[in-house]
């Protein structure tokens, strides 16, 4: 599990896209692990300026990946 923790006011969709690109194009470690037996889950935790936290899973890579399983599961946390 890779958890990207970001503090501040950010656009969630831009963050999701950056994580997706990192996982599928730019991170050679994820590429190597995912080509074997490892499943790598990429998620984010945003701590906004108002003290709120927002969590969401972005993508699963690996031999058991099921992209449709994630959909848009962003869940605000209290």
């Amino acid at each position: 599990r890779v958890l990207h923790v970001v503090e501040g006011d950010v656009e969630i969709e831009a963050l999701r896209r950056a994580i997706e690109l990192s996982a599928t194009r730019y991170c050679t470690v994820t590429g190597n692990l995912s080509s074997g037996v490892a499943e790598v889950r990429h998620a984010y935790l945003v701590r906004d300026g108002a003290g709120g936290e927002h969590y969401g899973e972005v993508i699963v890579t690996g031999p058991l990946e099921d992209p449709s399983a994630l959909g848009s599961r962003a869940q605000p946390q209290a």
Side-chain angles (χ1 to χ4, degrees):
R1 181 170 305 270
V2 177
L3 179 63
H4 302 263
V5 179
V6 179
E7 293 188 15
D9 295 321
V10 299
E11 267 188 55
I12 297 295
E13 284 307 310
L15 177 61
R16 290 178 63 84
R17 182 67 179 143
I19 292 170
E20 182 181 340
L21 285 172
S22 172
T24 59
R25 285 199 180 160
Y26 302 119
C27 182
T28 57
V29 173
T30 296
N32 286 333
L33 290 173
S34 298
S35 66
V37 296
E39 176 183 271
V40 182
R41 294 179 171 271
H42 299 266
Y44 63 85
L45 175 64
V46 175
R47 295 184 178 127
D48 63 29
E53 290 188 344
H54 309 277
Y55 173 83
E57 291 192 12
V58 178
I59 190 167
V60 178
T61 58
L64 304 176
E65 68 187 66
D66 180 6
S68 64
L70 289 179
S72 179
R73 294 195 294 179
Q75 307 163 9
Q77 293 184 352

